[in-house]
Amino acid sequence: MTKEQQLEEIAHQVRVCTRCPLYKNTIHAVPGEGSSEAKVMFIGEGPGYWEDQQGRPFVGQAGKLLDELLQSIKLPRKEVFIGNVVKHRPPENRDPLPQEIEACAPFLDQQIKIINPKIIVTLGRFSLNKFLPGEFISKVHGQARFVNFAGQKRVVIPMYHPAAALRRSIIMEEIKKDFREIENF
Ligand code: SF4
């Protein structure tokens, strides 16, 4: 199987998944999308309203901001992979529960193994804690760390979630600055 086929197989498994209750009352699963050869993988928290409507990650206002941030470092969206720690929208956009994150983790782990990205950009605290447990986003954002994950040494760059940047102008300035860190690798 090619890498694209392997990713499509995971996407299929996500669409029929009932491992946790989050699939209930959703319209679409959001398995993630992008290049199977991506050097940079962005991992957010979970689908929101528009993502659930369309079955695609980061398509609402936060997605627009992510697109602008990608453009600012001349990185085409089609060359990266964008996913989330949970693949179905939590009700009313609440935080995903630890047991939901755990149930969904094998999908993300497989995506990382297949794509084998050099850089993982975590967006928000839930994906940060997957790679750097116990760290605080306010303390470590923008700081590249080396992490052993899925048998490989990888660069993890924690960033605020774009939705947080839309709420607070100070975080907007931070995320713009943090994005430039990607260009150093
Ligand atoms: S959120 Fe993940 S574990 Fe839960 S039902 Fe959806 S795909 Fe399955």
Side-chain angles (χ1 to χ4, degrees), residues 52-179:
D52 180 47
Q53 294 285 318
Q54 298 184 30
R56 298 183 56 216
F58 283 89
V59 288
Q61 286 301 108
K64 267 190 206 150
L65 175 57
L66 181 60
D67 289 347
E68 285 169 23
L69 291 164
L70 287 167
Q71 279 166 18
S72 75
I73 57 166
K74 298 186 175 47
L75 187 56
R77 181 167 166 139
K78 64 178 174 12
E79 288 183 15
V80 304
F81 191 93
I82 304 173
N84 282 307
V85 293
V86 293
K87 315 292 194 189
H88 282 94
R89 182 191 181 206
E92 308 301 323
N93 291 348
R94 67 156 168 75
D95 289 345
L97 302 173
Q99 58 269 34
E100 293 162 350
I101 294 173
E102 197 186 330
C104 211
F107 294 125
L108 180 57
D109 293 351
Q110 287 175 61
Q111 288 171 323
I112 294 169
K113 270 189 200 154
I114 294 164
I115 297 165
N116 197 19
K118 182 177 175 192
I119 302 169
I120 292 173
V121 177
T122 63
L123 300 171
R125 65 195 161 105
F126 292 99
S127 57
L128 165 68
N129 285 336
K130 178 177 178 69
F131 300 97
L132 299 168
E135 294 282 11
F136 291 96
I137 188 89
S138 54
K139 217 171 122 196
V140 298
H141 69 90
Q143 297 171 18
R145 301 282 181 92
F146 286 94
V147 167
N148 271 317
F149 190 83
Q152 293 273 341
K153 208 173 196 189
R154 300 175 199 281
V155 178
V156 171
I157 311 177
M159 297 197 195
Y160 284 107
H161 195 285
L166 291 170
R167 287 192 296 268
R168 291 185 59 199
S169 57
I170 189 155
I171 292 182
M172 181 70 87
E173 292 314 308
E174 297 291 353
I175 200 170
K176 284 180 181 170
K177 245 189 281 165
D178 293 346
F179 245 72

